[in-house]
Short mmCIF file of all heavy atoms in Angstrom, two decimals:
data_model
loop_
_atom_site.label_atom_id
_atom_site.label_comp_id
_atom_site.label_asym_id
_atom_site.label_seq_id
_atom_site.Cartn_x
_atom_site.Cartn_y
_atom_site.Cartn_z
N PRO A 1 275.06 112.29 57.05
CA PRO A 1 275.24 111.10 56.33
C PRO A 1 274.76 109.83 56.94
O PRO A 1 274.19 108.91 56.41
CB PRO A 1 276.68 110.93 55.89
CG PRO A 1 277.40 111.97 56.81
CD PRO A 1 276.35 113.01 57.17
N VAL A 2 274.91 109.76 58.29
CA VAL A 2 274.39 108.64 59.11
C VAL A 2 272.88 108.63 59.15
O VAL A 2 272.31 107.56 58.86
CB VAL A 2 275.02 108.78 60.53
CG1 VAL A 2 274.33 107.66 61.37
CG2 VAL A 2 276.38 108.68 60.63
N GLU A 3 272.27 109.74 59.20
CA GLU A 3 270.86 109.79 59.13
C GLU A 3 270.33 109.41 57.84
O GLU A 3 269.22 108.85 57.62
CB GLU A 3 270.29 111.12 59.55
CG GLU A 3 270.55 111.49 61.01
CD GLU A 3 269.91 112.96 61.34
OE1 GLU A 3 269.83 113.80 60.45
OE2 GLU A 3 269.62 113.16 62.50
N ALA A 4 270.99 109.90 56.73
CA ALA A 4 270.66 109.50 55.41
C ALA A 4 270.73 108.00 55.15
O ALA A 4 269.87 107.32 54.48
CB ALA A 4 271.43 110.30 54.30
N GLY A 5 271.79 107.30 55.64
CA GLY A 5 271.91 105.90 55.55
C GLY A 5 270.84 105.25 56.26
O GLY A 5 270.22 104.22 55.82
N TRP A 6 270.56 105.68 57.47
CA TRP A 6 269.55 105.03 58.35
C TRP A 6 268.09 105.18 57.71
O TRP A 6 267.39 104.27 57.75
CB TRP A 6 269.72 105.67 59.75
CG TRP A 6 268.50 105.40 60.65
CD1 TRP A 6 267.72 106.19 61.29
CD2 TRP A 6 268.06 104.08 61.21
NE1 TRP A 6 266.70 105.61 61.93
CE2 TRP A 6 267.11 104.27 62.12
CE3 TRP A 6 268.70 102.84 60.98
CZ2 TRP A 6 266.40 103.15 62.74
CZ3 TRP A 6 268.12 101.69 61.69
CH2 TRP A 6 267.07 101.96 62.51
N GLU A 7 267.76 106.39 57.23
CA GLU A 7 266.52 106.64 56.63
C GLU A 7 266.39 105.63 55.40
O GLU A 7 265.20 105.13 55.23
CB GLU A 7 266.26 107.94 56.28
CG GLU A 7 266.17 108.98 57.48
CD GLU A 7 265.04 108.58 58.35
OE1 GLU A 7 263.85 108.22 57.79
OE2 GLU A 7 265.14 108.78 59.59
N LEU A 8 267.28 105.58 54.62
CA LEU A 8 267.21 104.66 53.48
C LEU A 8 267.07 103.17 53.91
O LEU A 8 266.26 102.42 53.31
CB LEU A 8 268.38 104.79 52.54
CG LEU A 8 268.37 104.04 51.24
CD1 LEU A 8 267.08 104.21 50.48
CD2 LEU A 8 269.64 104.17 50.41
N PHE A 9 267.87 102.72 54.91
CA PHE A 9 267.72 101.43 55.45
C PHE A 9 266.27 101.15 55.83
O PHE A 9 265.65 100.13 55.55
CB PHE A 9 268.72 101.28 56.59
CG PHE A 9 268.50 99.97 57.40
CD1 PHE A 9 269.02 98.85 56.93
CD2 PHE A 9 267.82 100.05 58.53
CE1 PHE A 9 268.76 97.67 57.80
CE2 PHE A 9 267.47 98.93 59.29
CZ PHE A 9 268.06 97.65 58.90
N LYS A 10 265.74 102.09 56.57
CA LYS A 10 264.30 101.86 57.10
C LYS A 10 263.29 101.77 55.97
O LYS A 10 262.41 101.03 56.04
CB LYS A 10 263.87 102.95 58.02
CG LYS A 10 264.59 102.99 59.35
CD LYS A 10 263.90 103.96 60.46
CE LYS A 10 264.12 105.40 59.86
NZ LYS A 10 263.46 106.34 60.78
N HIS A 11 263.61 102.58 54.96
CA HIS A 11 262.62 102.62 53.84
C HIS A 11 262.66 101.34 52.99
O HIS A 11 261.70 100.84 52.63
CB HIS A 11 262.95 103.90 52.96
CG HIS A 11 262.08 103.92 51.74
ND1 HIS A 11 260.70 104.21 51.85
CD2 HIS A 11 262.27 103.87 50.45
CE1 HIS A 11 260.18 104.28 50.59
NE2 HIS A 11 261.09 104.17 49.75
N GLN A 12 263.82 100.80 52.83
CA GLN A 12 264.04 99.64 52.04
C GLN A 12 263.47 98.44 52.87
O GLN A 12 262.77 97.52 52.39
CB GLN A 12 265.45 99.37 51.76
CG GLN A 12 266.03 100.33 50.74
CD GLN A 12 265.22 100.28 49.40
OE1 GLN A 12 264.83 99.25 48.93
NE2 GLN A 12 265.14 101.42 48.73
N LEU A 13 263.59 98.40 54.17
CA LEU A 13 263.05 97.32 55.09
C LEU A 13 261.65 97.46 54.96
O LEU A 13 260.90 96.40 54.93
CB LEU A 13 263.65 97.51 56.43
CG LEU A 13 263.28 96.47 57.40
CD1 LEU A 13 263.95 95.04 56.92
CD2 LEU A 13 263.69 96.66 58.82
N HIS A 14 261.07 98.65 54.98
CA HIS A 14 259.54 98.71 54.93
C HIS A 14 259.04 98.15 53.69
O HIS A 14 257.98 97.48 53.54
CB HIS A 14 259.16 100.24 55.14
CG HIS A 14 257.68 100.48 54.90
ND1 HIS A 14 256.64 100.13 55.65
CD2 HIS A 14 257.09 101.06 53.82
CE1 HIS A 14 255.55 100.35 55.18
NE2 HIS A 14 255.65 100.98 54.03
N LEU A 15 259.66 98.52 52.48
CA LEU A 15 259.11 98.00 51.24
C LEU A 15 259.25 96.52 51.20
O LEU A 15 258.44 95.90 50.62
CB LEU A 15 260.03 98.67 50.08
CG LEU A 15 259.81 100.12 49.80
CD1 LEU A 15 260.75 100.62 48.63
CD2 LEU A 15 258.42 100.46 49.43
N HIS A 16 260.38 96.05 51.69
CA HIS A 16 260.66 94.60 51.60
C HIS A 16 259.58 93.78 52.40
O HIS A 16 259.07 92.79 52.01
CB HIS A 16 262.05 94.31 52.17
CG HIS A 16 262.59 92.83 51.99
ND1 HIS A 16 263.01 92.33 50.80
CD2 HIS A 16 262.53 91.86 52.94
CE1 HIS A 16 263.45 91.20 50.97
NE2 HIS A 16 263.11 90.79 52.26
N HIS A 17 259.38 94.28 53.67
CA HIS A 17 258.44 93.55 54.50
C HIS A 17 257.04 93.69 54.02
O HIS A 17 256.17 92.72 54.18
CB HIS A 17 258.55 93.97 55.97
CG HIS A 17 259.80 93.53 56.63
ND1 HIS A 17 260.16 93.87 57.86
CD2 HIS A 17 260.72 92.57 56.32
CE1 HIS A 17 261.25 93.14 58.30
NE2 HIS A 17 261.62 92.42 57.23
N THR A 18 256.67 94.89 53.52
CA THR A 18 255.30 95.09 53.03
C THR A 18 255.04 94.12 51.82
O THR A 18 254.01 93.64 51.74
CB THR A 18 255.20 96.49 52.63
OG1 THR A 18 255.27 97.38 53.77
CG2 THR A 18 253.77 96.74 52.05
N ALA A 19 256.01 94.03 50.93
CA ALA A 19 255.85 93.16 49.75
C ALA A 19 255.69 91.72 50.14
O ALA A 19 254.85 90.98 49.69
CB ALA A 19 257.12 93.27 48.85
N GLU A 20 256.46 91.33 51.32
CA GLU A 20 256.20 89.95 51.80
C GLU A 20 254.91 89.70 52.36
O GLU A 20 254.20 88.80 52.10
CB GLU A 20 257.38 89.63 52.77
CG GLU A 20 258.74 89.52 52.24
CD GLU A 20 259.78 89.23 53.28
OE1 GLU A 20 259.57 89.62 54.44
OE2 GLU A 20 260.94 88.75 52.80
N ASP A 21 254.57 90.67 53.25
CA ASP A 21 253.19 90.52 53.98
C ASP A 21 252.06 90.58 53.03
O ASP A 21 250.93 89.97 53.23
CB ASP A 21 253.10 91.54 55.09
CG ASP A 21 254.15 91.25 56.18
OD1 ASP A 21 254.61 90.15 56.28
OD2 ASP A 21 254.32 92.13 57.05
N GLU A 22 252.01 91.49 52.10
CA GLU A 22 250.90 91.80 51.28
C GLU A 22 250.80 91.12 49.87
O GLU A 22 249.76 90.99 49.30
CB GLU A 22 250.72 93.30 51.14
CG GLU A 22 250.58 94.10 52.30
CD GLU A 22 250.40 95.56 52.25
OE1 GLU A 22 250.23 96.00 51.11
OE2 GLU A 22 250.19 96.22 53.20
N ILE A 23 251.91 90.57 49.45
CA ILE A 23 252.09 90.07 48.21
C ILE A 23 252.58 88.63 48.15
O ILE A 23 251.88 87.52 47.83
CB ILE A 23 252.80 90.88 47.08
CG1 ILE A 23 252.23 92.22 46.83
CG2 ILE A 23 252.93 90.14 45.79
CD1 ILE A 23 252.99 93.08 45.96
N ILE A 24 253.81 88.41 48.70
CA ILE A 24 254.41 87.04 48.58
C ILE A 24 253.76 86.00 49.48
O ILE A 24 253.29 85.07 49.03
CB ILE A 24 255.91 87.28 49.01
CG1 ILE A 24 256.59 88.13 47.97
CG2 ILE A 24 256.59 85.86 48.92
CD1 ILE A 24 258.08 88.44 48.28
N TRP A 25 253.65 86.38 50.81
CA TRP A 25 253.01 85.36 51.61
C TRP A 25 251.60 84.97 51.31
O TRP A 25 251.10 83.81 51.33
CB TRP A 25 253.17 85.70 53.12
CG TRP A 25 254.49 86.09 53.70
CD1 TRP A 25 254.86 87.01 54.62
CD2 TRP A 25 255.83 85.58 53.25
NE1 TRP A 25 256.13 87.07 54.81
CE2 TRP A 25 256.80 86.18 54.07
CE3 TRP A 25 256.13 84.53 52.50
CZ2 TRP A 25 258.11 86.01 54.07
CZ3 TRP A 25 257.57 84.25 52.42
CH2 TRP A 25 258.56 84.93 53.13
N PRO A 26 250.76 85.99 51.05
CA PRO A 26 249.32 85.62 50.60
C PRO A 26 249.32 84.81 49.31
O PRO A 26 248.35 83.99 49.09
CB PRO A 26 248.75 87.03 50.27
CG PRO A 26 249.50 87.94 51.19
CD PRO A 26 250.91 87.47 51.13
N VAL A 27 250.28 84.93 48.41
CA VAL A 27 250.27 83.99 47.27
C VAL A 27 250.64 82.55 47.60
O VAL A 27 250.08 81.61 47.16
CB VAL A 27 251.30 84.52 46.27
CG1 VAL A 27 251.56 83.49 45.12
CG2 VAL A 27 250.85 85.82 45.56
N LEU A 28 251.49 82.42 48.63
CA LEU A 28 251.91 81.05 49.04
C LEU A 28 250.89 80.30 49.96
O LEU A 28 250.72 79.20 49.83
CB LEU A 28 253.19 81.21 49.88
CG LEU A 28 254.37 81.67 49.22
CD1 LEU A 28 255.58 81.63 50.20
CD2 LEU A 28 254.65 81.10 47.96
N ARG A 29 250.08 81.10 50.64
CA ARG A 29 249.15 80.48 51.71
C ARG A 29 248.18 79.48 51.01
O ARG A 29 248.08 78.34 51.57
CB ARG A 29 248.32 81.60 52.41
CG ARG A 29 249.22 82.16 53.48
CD ARG A 29 248.34 83.13 54.41
NE ARG A 29 249.29 83.65 55.45
CZ ARG A 29 249.57 83.14 56.68
NH1 ARG A 29 249.05 81.95 56.82
NH2 ARG A 29 250.32 83.78 57.46
N PRO A 30 247.46 79.88 49.97
CA PRO A 30 246.53 78.81 49.40
C PRO A 30 247.22 77.69 48.78
O PRO A 30 246.67 76.55 48.78
CB PRO A 30 245.69 79.63 48.24
CG PRO A 30 246.61 80.85 47.95
CD PRO A 30 247.35 81.18 49.26
N ARG A 31 248.41 77.86 48.30
CA ARG A 31 249.19 76.63 47.83
C ARG A 31 249.70 75.67 48.93
O ARG A 31 249.91 74.57 48.60
CB ARG A 31 250.43 77.11 46.95
CG ARG A 31 250.00 78.07 45.74
CD ARG A 31 249.38 77.31 44.65
NE ARG A 31 249.13 78.13 43.58
CZ ARG A 31 250.01 78.27 42.47
NH1 ARG A 31 251.14 77.67 42.59
NH2 ARG A 31 249.70 79.05 41.56
N LEU A 32 249.89 76.26 50.03
CA LEU A 32 250.46 75.50 51.23
C LEU A 32 249.41 75.27 52.26
O LEU A 32 249.76 74.81 53.37
CB LEU A 32 251.57 76.26 51.80
CG LEU A 32 252.82 76.48 50.79
CD1 LEU A 32 253.79 77.53 51.43
CD2 LEU A 32 253.50 75.19 50.35
N ALA A 33 248.07 75.39 51.97
CA ALA A 33 247.02 75.31 52.95
C ALA A 33 247.04 73.82 53.59
O ALA A 33 246.56 73.63 54.75
CB ALA A 33 245.72 75.56 52.46
N HIS A 34 247.50 72.82 52.83
CA HIS A 34 247.58 71.55 53.30
C HIS A 34 248.62 71.29 54.34
O HIS A 34 248.60 70.11 55.08
CB HIS A 34 247.80 70.58 52.21
CG HIS A 34 249.21 70.75 51.53
ND1 HIS A 34 249.37 71.83 50.58
CD2 HIS A 34 250.30 70.14 51.66
CE1 HIS A 34 250.62 71.74 50.19
NE2 HIS A 34 251.21 70.80 50.86
N SER A 35 249.56 72.18 54.54
CA SER A 35 250.68 72.00 55.50
C SER A 35 250.57 72.88 56.69
O SER A 35 250.83 74.10 56.53
CB SER A 35 251.99 72.26 54.76
OG SER A 35 253.12 72.23 55.53
N GLU A 36 250.29 72.38 57.81
CA GLU A 36 250.27 73.10 59.08
C GLU A 36 251.68 73.74 59.29
O GLU A 36 251.63 74.87 59.86
CB GLU A 36 249.80 72.25 60.20
CG GLU A 36 249.67 72.98 61.52
CD GLU A 36 249.07 72.10 62.67
OE1 GLU A 36 248.65 70.96 62.37
OE2 GLU A 36 249.26 72.44 63.77
N HIS A 37 252.70 73.06 59.15
CA HIS A 37 254.07 73.71 59.34
C HIS A 37 254.24 74.81 58.45
O HIS A 37 254.78 75.86 58.93
CB HIS A 37 255.11 72.50 59.13
CG HIS A 37 256.51 73.01 59.09
ND1 HIS A 37 257.15 73.46 60.28
CD2 HIS A 37 257.38 73.34 58.17
CE1 HIS A 37 258.36 73.85 60.00
NE2 HIS A 37 258.51 73.89 58.74
N ALA A 38 254.01 74.64 57.18
CA ALA A 38 254.25 75.72 56.25
C ALA A 38 253.47 77.07 56.74
O ALA A 38 253.96 78.20 56.65
CB ALA A 38 253.87 75.40 54.80
N LEU A 39 252.19 76.86 57.07
CA LEU A 39 251.39 77.99 57.50
C LEU A 39 251.90 78.59 58.75
O LEU A 39 251.97 79.78 58.98
CB LEU A 39 250.01 77.57 57.60
CG LEU A 39 249.24 77.10 56.38
CD1 LEU A 39 247.66 76.76 56.58
CD2 LEU A 39 249.21 78.17 55.38
N SER A 40 252.49 77.82 59.63
CA SER A 40 253.04 78.27 60.97
C SER A 40 254.23 79.05 60.65
O SER A 40 254.44 80.20 61.30
CB SER A 40 253.26 77.18 61.91
OG SER A 40 254.33 76.41 61.47
N VAL A 41 255.03 78.73 59.67
CA VAL A 41 256.18 79.41 59.19
C VAL A 41 255.82 80.84 58.68
O VAL A 41 256.38 81.85 59.06
CB VAL A 41 256.98 78.75 58.21
CG1 VAL A 41 258.22 79.69 57.63
CG2 VAL A 41 257.68 77.47 58.82
N LEU A 42 254.80 80.84 57.89
CA LEU A 42 254.35 82.22 57.35
C LEU A 42 253.65 83.06 58.40
O LEU A 42 253.88 84.30 58.36
CB LEU A 42 253.26 81.88 56.27
CG LEU A 42 253.73 81.14 54.98
CD1 LEU A 42 252.59 81.00 53.99
CD2 LEU A 42 254.91 81.81 54.27
#
């Protein structure tokens, strides 16, 4: 059960970070291109 919980945690983290890196942040970048601070955060 520990391994089952750990594997699911890793899987959900992978999905979450992939969605951010490949969908969410790329959508924000052109909208925030005028802000050096915003781009540095992304």
Side-chain angles (χ1 to χ4, degrees):
V2 174
E3 288 181 339
W6 169 241
E7 290 300 321
L8 181 59
F9 168 84
K10 288 191 299 178
H11 181 62
Q12 293 299 327
L13 187 63
H14 171 73
L15 291 178
H16 187 82
H17 283 177
T18 299
E20 289 177 340
D21 289 342
E22 298 183 3
I23 297 179
I24 298 175
W25 308 145
V27 169
L28 298 185
R29 281 186 181 277
R31 300 289 184 91
L32 300 169
H34 61 283
S35 171
E36 182 177 344
H37 170 72
L39 295 180
S40 71
V41 169
L42 297 180

